[in-house]
Amino acid sequence: MQIPTIDIRENSLVRYGFRYLLEREFDLYVHEDDIEKLELAKTCIEIYETEQEFFDKTGWKRDNPEISEFQYLQNERICRMVNGKVWYFSRIRYADGIKKIM
């Protein structure tokens, strides 16, 4: 599941809330006026119902067997539990998107 449609460009309250979530959960700071980076960050979040669904759909355990403990993923802010769901932020996808923006 992708992050629901949110109006980052037009709604400053939504923008503030999303920035707060990025900073708090994924340790990612994006300036409030950098709409392009905020919209990019939104596309880098995937939401899963359970840890097992995350592992099954992403193939994380297969691709990264040495770092496949969910606690590690949480500590490194790769995955976070938000409202009982697993939120995954792809830093690789974000970095690739930043290169394209620049």
Side-chain angles (χ1 to χ4, degrees):
M1 173 194 329
Q2 294 293 323
I3 192 166
T5 303
I6 55 175
D7 189 8
I8 290 174
R9 188 170 295 281
E10 301 297 325
N11 189 322
S12 62
L13 183 59
V14 169
R15 188 167 48 246
Y16 175 81
F18 185 62
R19 285 181 57 242
Y20 177 78
L21 181 135
L22 287 173
E23 195 168 340
R24 179 173 172 241
E25 298 297 340
F26 299 107
D27 201 27
L28 177 69
Y29 177 79
V30 180
H31 192 273
E32 65 186 65
D33 295 331
D34 204 338
I35 305 298
E36 236 179 341
K37 285 183 182 175
L38 287 169
E39 288 181 335
L40 171 62
K42 182 178 82 167
T43 68
C44 297
I45 294 175
E46 298 173 10
I47 303 171
Y48 298 95
E49 293 293 325
T50 65
E51 294 172 32
Q52 191 59 49
E53 181 187 12
F54 164 75
F55 287 124
D56 291 345
K57 290 190 174 178
T58 63
W60 187 277
K61 281 188 176 184
R62 179 191 67 237
D63 298 338
N64 306 285
E66 69 283 357
I67 53 170
S68 62
E69 292 295 320
F70 194 71
Q71 188 62 44
Y72 170 84
L73 298 175
Q74 286 188 299
N75 290 345
E76 295 301 313
R77 297 179 180 268
I78 296 166
C79 288
R80 305 297 285 173
M81 293 300 293
V82 178
N83 292 331
K85 298 185 191 269
V86 176
W87 286 46
Y88 165 63
F89 182 78
S90 175
R91 292 190 185 277
I92 293 172
R93 195 179 320 150
Y94 184 75
D96 289 346
I98 292 295
K99 290 176 190 172
K100 290 177 186 173
I101 291 172
M102 302 299 178

mmCIF file with all atom_site columns, all heavy atoms in Angstrom, residues 71-89:
data_model
loop_
_atom_site.group_PDB
_atom_site.id
_atom_site.type_symbol
_atom_site.label_atom_id
_atom_site.label_alt_id
_atom_site.label_comp_id
_atom_site.label_asym_id
_atom_site.label_entity_id
_atom_site.label_seq_id
_atom_site.pdbx_PDB_ins_code
_atom_site.Cartn_x
_atom_site.Cartn_y
_atom_site.Cartn_z
_atom_site.occupancy
_atom_site.B_iso_or_equiv
_atom_site.pdbx_formal_charge
_atom_site.auth_seq_id
_atom_site.auth_comp_id
_atom_site.auth_asym_id
_atom_site.auth_atom_id
_atom_site.pdbx_PDB_model_num
ATOM 1   N N   . GLN A 1 71 ? 13.933 -5.665 14.337 1.00 0.00 ? 71 GLN A N   1
ATOM 2   C CA  . GLN A 1 71 ? 14.424 -4.692 15.317 1.00 0.00 ? 71 GLN A CA  1
ATOM 3   C C   . GLN A 1 71 ? 15.543 -3.837 14.721 1.00 0.00 ? 71 GLN A C   1
ATOM 4   O O   . GLN A 1 71 ? 15.603 -2.632 14.938 1.00 0.00 ? 71 GLN A O   1
ATOM 5   C CB  . GLN A 1 71 ? 14.909 -5.397 16.587 1.00 0.00 ? 71 GLN A CB  1
ATOM 6   C CG  . GLN A 1 71 ? 15.242 -4.457 17.714 1.00 0.00 ? 71 GLN A CG  1
ATOM 7   C CD  . GLN A 1 71 ? 14.037 -3.651 18.181 1.00 0.00 ? 71 GLN A CD  1
ATOM 8   O OE1 . GLN A 1 71 ? 12.952 -4.182 18.332 1.00 0.00 ? 71 GLN A OE1 1
ATOM 9   N NE2 . GLN A 1 71 ? 14.211 -2.356 18.376 1.00 0.00 ? 71 GLN A NE2 1
ATOM 10  N N   . TYR A 1 72 ? 16.428 -4.454 13.953 1.00 0.00 ? 72 TYR A N   1
ATOM 11  C CA  . TYR A 1 72 ? 17.493 -3.711 13.277 1.00 0.00 ? 72 TYR A CA  1
ATOM 12  C C   . TYR A 1 72 ? 16.887 -2.679 12.321 1.00 0.00 ? 72 TYR A C   1
ATOM 13  O O   . TYR A 1 72 ? 17.321 -1.524 12.276 1.00 0.00 ? 72 TYR A O   1
ATOM 14  C CB  . TYR A 1 72 ? 18.413 -4.663 12.505 1.00 0.00 ? 72 TYR A CB  1
ATOM 15  C CG  . TYR A 1 72 ? 19.387 -3.933 11.600 1.00 0.00 ? 72 TYR A CG  1
ATOM 16  C CD1 . TYR A 1 72 ? 20.585 -3.439 12.097 1.00 0.00 ? 72 TYR A CD1 1
ATOM 17  C CD2 . TYR A 1 72 ? 19.097 -3.715 10.254 1.00 0.00 ? 72 TYR A CD2 1
ATOM 18  C CE1 . TYR A 1 72 ? 21.464 -2.746 11.285 1.00 0.00 ? 72 TYR A CE1 1
ATOM 19  C CE2 . TYR A 1 72 ? 19.971 -3.026 9.434  1.00 0.00 ? 72 TYR A CE2 1
ATOM 20  C CZ  . TYR A 1 72 ? 21.147 -2.541 9.953  1.00 0.00 ? 72 TYR A CZ  1
ATOM 21  O OH  . TYR A 1 72 ? 22.010 -1.841 9.133  1.00 0.00 ? 72 TYR A OH  1
ATOM 22  N N   . LEU A 1 73 ? 15.900 -3.098 11.546 1.00 0.00 ? 73 LEU A N   1
ATOM 23  C CA  . LEU A 1 73 ? 15.269 -2.193 10.580 1.00 0.00 ? 73 LEU A CA  1
ATOM 24  C C   . LEU A 1 73 ? 14.611 -1.008 11.286 1.00 0.00 ? 73 LEU A C   1
ATOM 25  O O   . LEU A 1 73 ? 14.644 0.116  10.775 1.00 0.00 ? 73 LEU A O   1
ATOM 26  C CB  . LEU A 1 73 ? 14.244 -2.946 9.731  1.00 0.00 ? 73 LEU A CB  1
ATOM 27  C CG  . LEU A 1 73 ? 14.816 -4.085 8.878  1.00 0.00 ? 73 LEU A CG  1
ATOM 28  C CD1 . LEU A 1 73 ? 13.693 -4.834 8.182  1.00 0.00 ? 73 LEU A CD1 1
ATOM 29  C CD2 . LEU A 1 73 ? 15.831 -3.567 7.890  1.00 0.00 ? 73 LEU A CD2 1
ATOM 30  N N   . GLN A 1 74 ? 14.058 -1.257 12.449 1.00 0.00 ? 74 GLN A N   1
ATOM 31  C CA  . GLN A 1 74 ? 13.464 -0.158 13.211 1.00 0.00 ? 74 GLN A CA  1
ATOM 32  C C   . GLN A 1 74 ? 14.545 0.755  13.793 1.00 0.00 ? 74 GLN A C   1
ATOM 33  O O   . GLN A 1 74 ? 14.427 1.970  13.730 1.00 0.00 ? 74 GLN A O   1
ATOM 34  C CB  . GLN A 1 74 ? 12.574 -0.694 14.323 1.00 0.00 ? 74 GLN A CB  1
ATOM 35  C CG  . GLN A 1 74 ? 11.265 -1.255 13.815 1.00 0.00 ? 74 GLN A CG  1
ATOM 36  C CD  . GLN A 1 74 ? 10.335 -1.585 14.939 1.00 0.00 ? 74 GLN A CD  1
ATOM 37  O OE1 . GLN A 1 74 ? 10.639 -2.412 15.790 1.00 0.00 ? 74 GLN A OE1 1
ATOM 38  N NE2 . GLN A 1 74 ? 9.192  -0.929 14.950 1.00 0.00 ? 74 GLN A NE2 1
ATOM 39  N N   . ASN A 1 75 ? 15.572 0.173  14.361 1.00 0.00 ? 75 ASN A N   1
ATOM 40  C CA  . ASN A 1 75 ? 16.644 0.975  14.954 1.00 0.00 ? 75 ASN A CA  1
ATOM 41  C C   . ASN A 1 75 ? 17.332 1.862  13.927 1.00 0.00 ? 75 ASN A C   1
ATOM 42  O O   . ASN A 1 75 ? 17.729 2.991  14.240 1.00 0.00 ? 75 ASN A O   1
ATOM 43  C CB  . ASN A 1 75 ? 17.681 0.077  15.634 1.00 0.00 ? 75 ASN A CB  1
ATOM 44  C CG  . ASN A 1 75 ? 17.152 -0.586 16.877 1.00 0.00 ? 75 ASN A CG  1
ATOM 45  O OD1 . ASN A 1 75 ? 16.125 -0.209 17.420 1.00 0.00 ? 75 ASN A OD1 1
ATOM 46  N ND2 . ASN A 1 75 ? 17.850 -1.617 17.321 1.00 0.00 ? 75 ASN A ND2 1
ATOM 47  N N   . GLU A 1 76 ? 17.485 1.358  12.709 1.00 0.00 ? 76 GLU A N   1
ATOM 48  C CA  . GLU A 1 76 ? 18.134 2.118  11.639 1.00 0.00 ? 76 GLU A CA  1
ATOM 49  C C   . GLU A 1 76 ? 17.151 3.016  10.883 1.00 0.00 ? 76 GLU A C   1
ATOM 50  O O   . GLU A 1 76 ? 17.527 3.655  9.904  1.00 0.00 ? 76 GLU A O   1
ATOM 51  C CB  . GLU A 1 76 ? 18.830 1.169  10.662 1.00 0.00 ? 76 GLU A CB  1
ATOM 52  C CG  . GLU A 1 76 ? 19.973 0.397  11.292 1.00 0.00 ? 76 GLU A CG  1
ATOM 53  C CD  . GLU A 1 76 ? 21.060 1.303  11.848 1.00 0.00 ? 76 GLU A CD  1
ATOM 54  O OE1 . GLU A 1 76 ? 21.484 2.236  11.142 1.00 0.00 ? 76 GLU A OE1 1
ATOM 55  O OE2 . GLU A 1 76 ? 21.479 1.073  13.003 1.00 0.00 ? 76 GLU A OE2 1
ATOM 56  N N   . ARG A 1 77 ? 15.913 3.035  11.332 1.00 0.00 ? 77 ARG A N   1
ATOM 57  C CA  . ARG A 1 77 ? 14.852 3.872  10.752 1.00 0.00 ? 77 ARG A CA  1
ATOM 58  C C   . ARG A 1 77 ? 14.572 3.556  9.285  1.00 0.00 ? 77 ARG A C   1
ATOM 59  O O   . ARG A 1 77 ? 14.249 4.425  8.484  1.00 0.00 ? 77 ARG A O   1
ATOM 60  C CB  . ARG A 1 77 ? 15.144 5.347  10.963 1.00 0.00 ? 77 ARG A CB  1
ATOM 61  C CG  . ARG A 1 77 ? 15.177 5.710  12.439 1.00 0.00 ? 77 ARG A CG  1
ATOM 62  C CD  . ARG A 1 77 ? 15.500 7.165  12.658 1.00 0.00 ? 77 ARG A CD  1
ATOM 63  N NE  . ARG A 1 77 ? 15.516 7.479  14.059 1.00 0.00 ? 77 ARG A NE  1
ATOM 64  C CZ  . ARG A 1 77 ? 14.471 7.925  14.755 1.00 0.00 ? 77 ARG A CZ  1
ATOM 65  N NH1 . ARG A 1 77 ? 13.322 8.093  14.184 1.00 0.00 ? 77 ARG A NH1 1
ATOM 66  N NH2 . ARG A 1 77 ? 14.593 8.198  16.030 1.00 0.00 ? 77 ARG A NH2 1
ATOM 67  N N   . ILE A 1 78 ? 14.714 2.294  8.945  1.00 0.00 ? 78 ILE A N   1
ATOM 68  C CA  . ILE A 1 78 ? 14.353 1.809  7.620  1.00 0.00 ? 78 ILE A CA  1
ATOM 69  C C   . ILE A 1 78 ? 12.862 1.509  7.611  1.00 0.00 ? 78 ILE A C   1
ATOM 70  O O   . ILE A 1 78 ? 12.154 1.854  6.670  1.00 0.00 ? 78 ILE A O   1
ATOM 71  C CB  . ILE A 1 78 ? 15.188 0.562  7.251  1.00 0.00 ? 78 ILE A CB  1
ATOM 72  C CG1 . ILE A 1 78 ? 16.667 0.949  7.167  1.00 0.00 ? 78 ILE A CG1 1
ATOM 73  C CG2 . ILE A 1 78 ? 14.683 -0.065 5.955  1.00 0.00 ? 78 ILE A CG2 1
ATOM 74  C CD1 . ILE A 1 78 ? 17.618 -0.227 7.145  1.00 0.00 ? 78 ILE A CD1 1
ATOM 75  N N   . CYS A 1 79 ? 12.407 0.870  8.675  1.00 0.00 ? 79 CYS A N   1
ATOM 76  C CA  . CYS A 1 79 ? 10.987 0.593  8.882  1.00 0.00 ? 79 CYS A CA  1
ATOM 77  C C   . CYS A 1 79 ? 10.569 1.183  10.221 1.00 0.00 ? 79 CYS A C   1
ATOM 78  O O   . CYS A 1 79 ? 11.365 1.211  11.162 1.00 0.00 ? 79 CYS A O   1
ATOM 79  C CB  . CYS A 1 79 ? 10.711 -0.904 8.920  1.00 0.00 ? 79 CYS A CB  1
ATOM 80  S SG  . CYS A 1 79 ? 10.828 -1.727 7.342  1.00 0.00 ? 79 CYS A SG  1
ATOM 81  N N   . ARG A 1 80 ? 9.341  1.621  10.290 1.00 0.00 ? 80 ARG A N   1
ATOM 82  C CA  . ARG A 1 80 ? 8.791  2.148  11.543 1.00 0.00 ? 80 ARG A CA  1
ATOM 83  C C   . ARG A 1 80 ? 7.359  1.645  11.692 1.00 0.00 ? 80 ARG A C   1
ATOM 84  O O   . ARG A 1 80 ? 6.661  1.434  10.700 1.00 0.00 ? 80 ARG A O   1
ATOM 85  C CB  . ARG A 1 80 ? 8.786  3.673  11.540 1.00 0.00 ? 80 ARG A CB  1
ATOM 86  C CG  . ARG A 1 80 ? 10.134 4.305  11.267 1.00 0.00 ? 80 ARG A CG  1
ATOM 87  C CD  . ARG A 1 80 ? 11.164 3.992  12.306 1.00 0.00 ? 80 ARG A CD  1
ATOM 88  N NE  . ARG A 1 80 ? 10.887 4.782  13.494 1.00 0.00 ? 80 ARG A NE  1
ATOM 89  C CZ  . ARG A 1 80 ? 11.508 4.660  14.640 1.00 0.00 ? 80 ARG A CZ  1
ATOM 90  N NH1 . ARG A 1 80 ? 12.439 3.764  14.784 1.00 0.00 ? 80 ARG A NH1 1
ATOM 91  N NH2 . ARG A 1 80 ? 11.211 5.417  15.661 1.00 0.00 ? 80 ARG A NH2 1
ATOM 92  N N   . MET A 1 81 ? 6.958  1.467  12.933 1.00 0.00 ? 81 MET A N   1
ATOM 93  C CA  . MET A 1 81 ? 5.571  1.113  13.210 1.00 0.00 ? 81 MET A CA  1
ATOM 94  C C   . MET A 1 81 ? 4.805  2.417  13.415 1.00 0.00 ? 81 MET A C   1
ATOM 95  O O   . MET A 1 81 ? 5.126  3.194  14.312 1.00 0.00 ? 81 MET A O   1
ATOM 96  C CB  . MET A 1 81 ? 5.475  0.241  14.463 1.00 0.00 ? 81 MET A CB  1
ATOM 97  C CG  . MET A 1 81 ? 6.102  -1.136 14.304 1.00 0.00 ? 81 MET A CG  1
ATOM 98  S SD  . MET A 1 81 ? 5.398  -2.155 13.000 1.00 0.00 ? 81 MET A SD  1
ATOM 99  C CE  . MET A 1 81 ? 3.763  -2.472 13.628 1.00 0.00 ? 81 MET A CE  1
ATOM 100 N N   . VAL A 1 82 ? 3.825  2.665  12.554 1.00 0.00 ? 82 VAL A N   1
ATOM 101 C CA  . VAL A 1 82 ? 3.005  3.865  12.636 1.00 0.00 ? 82 VAL A CA  1
ATOM 102 C C   . VAL A 1 82 ? 1.546  3.412  12.619 1.00 0.00 ? 82 VAL A C   1
ATOM 103 O O   . VAL A 1 82 ? 1.105  2.771  11.658 1.00 0.00 ? 82 VAL A O   1
ATOM 104 C CB  . VAL A 1 82 ? 3.271  4.834  11.454 1.00 0.00 ? 82 VAL A CB  1
ATOM 105 C CG1 . VAL A 1 82 ? 2.371  6.052  11.533 1.00 0.00 ? 82 VAL A CG1 1
ATOM 106 C CG2 . VAL A 1 82 ? 4.741  5.243  11.404 1.00 0.00 ? 82 VAL A CG2 1
ATOM 107 N N   . ASN A 1 83 ? 0.840  3.698  13.692 1.00 0.00 ? 83 ASN A N   1
ATOM 108 C CA  . ASN A 1 83 ? -0.565 3.298  13.825 1.00 0.00 ? 83 ASN A CA  1
ATOM 109 C C   . ASN A 1 83 ? -0.775 1.806  13.559 1.00 0.00 ? 83 ASN A C   1
ATOM 110 O O   . ASN A 1 83 ? -1.721 1.406  12.884 1.00 0.00 ? 83 ASN A O   1
ATOM 111 C CB  . ASN A 1 83 ? -1.454 4.132  12.899 1.00 0.00 ? 83 ASN A CB  1
ATOM 112 C CG  . ASN A 1 83 ? -1.515 5.571  13.324 1.00 0.00 ? 83 ASN A CG  1
ATOM 113 O OD1 . ASN A 1 83 ? -1.384 5.888  14.501 1.00 0.00 ? 83 ASN A OD1 1
ATOM 114 N ND2 . ASN A 1 83 ? -1.695 6.461  12.370 1.00 0.00 ? 83 ASN A ND2 1
ATOM 115 N N   . GLY A 1 84 ? 0.142  0.984  14.068 1.00 0.00 ? 84 GLY A N   1
ATOM 116 C CA  . GLY A 1 84 ? -0.001 -0.462 13.959 1.00 0.00 ? 84 GLY A CA  1
ATOM 117 C C   . GLY A 1 84 ? 0.377  -1.047 12.612 1.00 0.00 ? 84 GLY A C   1
ATOM 118 O O   . GLY A 1 84 ? 0.183  -2.236 12.381 1.00 0.00 ? 84 GLY A O   1
ATOM 119 N N   . LYS A 1 85 ? 0.904  -0.233 11.712 1.00 0.00 ? 85 LYS A N   1
ATOM 120 C CA  . LYS A 1 85 ? 1.316  -0.712 10.394 1.00 0.00 ? 85 LYS A CA  1
ATOM 121 C C   . LYS A 1 85 ? 2.813  -0.472 10.209 1.00 0.00 ? 85 LYS A C   1
ATOM 122 O O   . LYS A 1 85 ? 3.397  0.384  10.853 1.00 0.00 ? 85 LYS A O   1
ATOM 123 C CB  . LYS A 1 85 ? 0.530  0.000  9.296  1.00 0.00 ? 85 LYS A CB  1
ATOM 124 C CG  . LYS A 1 85 ? -0.959 -0.278 9.386  1.00 0.00 ? 85 LYS A CG  1
ATOM 125 C CD  . LYS A 1 85 ? -1.693 0.339  8.238  1.00 0.00 ? 85 LYS A CD  1
ATOM 126 C CE  . LYS A 1 85 ? -3.170 0.295  8.465  1.00 0.00 ? 85 LYS A CE  1
ATOM 127 N NZ  . LYS A 1 85 ? -3.851 -0.827 7.967  1.00 0.00 ? 85 LYS A NZ  1
ATOM 128 N N   . VAL A 1 86 ? 3.405  -1.245 9.321  1.00 0.00 ? 86 VAL A N   1
ATOM 129 C CA  . VAL A 1 86 ? 4.825  -1.112 9.024  1.00 0.00 ? 86 VAL A CA  1
ATOM 130 C C   . VAL A 1 86 ? 4.983  -0.106 7.895  1.00 0.00 ? 86 VAL A C   1
ATOM 131 O O   . VAL A 1 86 ? 4.469  -0.298 6.803  1.00 0.00 ? 86 VAL A O   1
ATOM 132 C CB  . VAL A 1 86 ? 5.437  -2.467 8.601  1.00 0.00 ? 86 VAL A CB  1
ATOM 133 C CG1 . VAL A 1 86 ? 6.892  -2.292 8.205  1.00 0.00 ? 86 VAL A CG1 1
ATOM 134 C CG2 . VAL A 1 86 ? 5.291  -3.491 9.706  1.00 0.00 ? 86 VAL A CG2 1
ATOM 135 N N   . TRP A 1 87 ? 5.694  0.985  8.185  1.00 0.00 ? 87 TRP A N   1
ATOM 136 C CA  . TRP A 1 87 ? 6.015  1.989  7.168  1.00 0.00 ? 87 TRP A CA  1
ATOM 137 C C   . TRP A 1 87 ? 7.465  1.801  6.781  1.00 0.00 ? 87 TRP A C   1
ATOM 138 O O   . TRP A 1 87 ? 8.354  1.810  7.629  1.00 0.00 ? 87 TRP A O   1
ATOM 139 C CB  . TRP A 1 87 ? 5.813  3.394  7.715  1.00 0.00 ? 87 TRP A CB  1
ATOM 140 C CG  . TRP A 1 87 ? 4.381  3.802  7.849  1.00 0.00 ? 87 TRP A CG  1
ATOM 141 C CD1 . TRP A 1 87 ? 3.363  3.070  8.386  1.00 0.00 ? 87 TRP A CD1 1
ATOM 142 C CD2 . TRP A 1 87 ? 3.808  5.042  7.464  1.00 0.00 ? 87 TRP A CD2 1
ATOM 143 N NE1 . TRP A 1 87 ? 2.199  3.792  8.366  1.00 0.00 ? 87 TRP A NE1 1
ATOM 144 C CE2 . TRP A 1 87 ? 2.453  5.005  7.797  1.00 0.00 ? 87 TRP A CE2 1
ATOM 145 C CE3 . TRP A 1 87 ? 4.327  6.201  6.871  1.00 0.00 ? 87 TRP A CE3 1
ATOM 146 C CZ2 . TRP A 1 87 ? 1.595  6.071  7.543  1.00 0.00 ? 87 TRP A CZ2 1
ATOM 147 C CZ3 . TRP A 1 87 ? 3.473  7.258  6.629  1.00 0.00 ? 87 TRP A CZ3 1
ATOM 148 C CH2 . TRP A 1 87 ? 2.117  7.183  6.956  1.00 0.00 ? 87 TRP A CH2 1
ATOM 149 N N   . TYR A 1 88 ? 7.697  1.621  5.490  1.00 0.00 ? 88 TYR A N   1
ATOM 150 C CA  . TYR A 1 88 ? 9.040  1.421  4.956  1.00 0.00 ? 88 TYR A CA  1
ATOM 151 C C   . TYR A 1 88 ? 9.399  2.640  4.112  1.00 0.00 ? 88 TYR A C   1
ATOM 152 O O   . TYR A 1 88 ? 8.639  3.047  3.238  1.00 0.00 ? 88 TYR A O   1
ATOM 153 C CB  . TYR A 1 88 ? 9.072  0.154  4.117  1.00 0.00 ? 88 TYR A CB  1
ATOM 154 C CG  . TYR A 1 88 ? 10.283 0.023  3.214  1.00 0.00 ? 88 TYR A CG  1
ATOM 155 C CD1 . TYR A 1 88 ? 11.564 -0.069 3.739  1.00 0.00 ? 88 TYR A CD1 1
ATOM 156 C CD2 . TYR A 1 88 ? 10.134 -0.018 1.832  1.00 0.00 ? 88 TYR A CD2 1
ATOM 157 C CE1 . TYR A 1 88 ? 12.673 -0.195 2.905  1.00 0.00 ? 88 TYR A CE1 1
ATOM 158 C CE2 . TYR A 1 88 ? 11.238 -0.144 0.998  1.00 0.00 ? 88 TYR A CE2 1
ATOM 159 C CZ  . TYR A 1 88 ? 12.490 -0.226 1.541  1.00 0.00 ? 88 TYR A CZ  1
ATOM 160 O OH  . TYR A 1 88 ? 13.585 -0.346 0.718  1.00 0.00 ? 88 TYR A OH  1
ATOM 161 N N   . PHE A 1 89 ? 10.574 3.221  4.381  1.00 0.00 ? 89 PHE A N   1
ATOM 162 C CA  . PHE A 1 89 ? 11.060 4.350  3.607  1.00 0.00 ? 89 PHE A CA  1
ATOM 163 C C   . PHE A 1 89 ? 12.279 3.906  2.817  1.00 0.00 ? 89 PHE A C   1
ATOM 164 O O   . PHE A 1 89 ? 13.294 3.515  3.399  1.00 0.00 ? 89 PHE A O   1
ATOM 165 C CB  . PHE A 1 89 ? 11.433 5.532  4.512  1.00 0.00 ? 89 PHE A CB  1
ATOM 166 C CG  . PHE A 1 89 ? 11.891 6.734  3.739  1.00 0.00 ? 89 PHE A CG  1
ATOM 167 C CD1 . PHE A 1 89 ? 10.974 7.551  3.117  1.00 0.00 ? 89 PHE A CD1 1
ATOM 168 C CD2 . PHE A 1 89 ? 13.229 7.026  3.616  1.00 0.00 ? 89 PHE A CD2 1
ATOM 169 C CE1 . PHE A 1 89 ? 11.379 8.656  2.387  1.00 0.00 ? 89 PHE A CE1 1
ATOM 170 C CE2 . PHE A 1 89 ? 13.663 8.117  2.889  1.00 0.00 ? 89 PHE A CE2 1
ATOM 171 C CZ  . PHE A 1 89 ? 12.732 8.948  2.271  1.00 0.00 ? 89 PHE A CZ  1
#
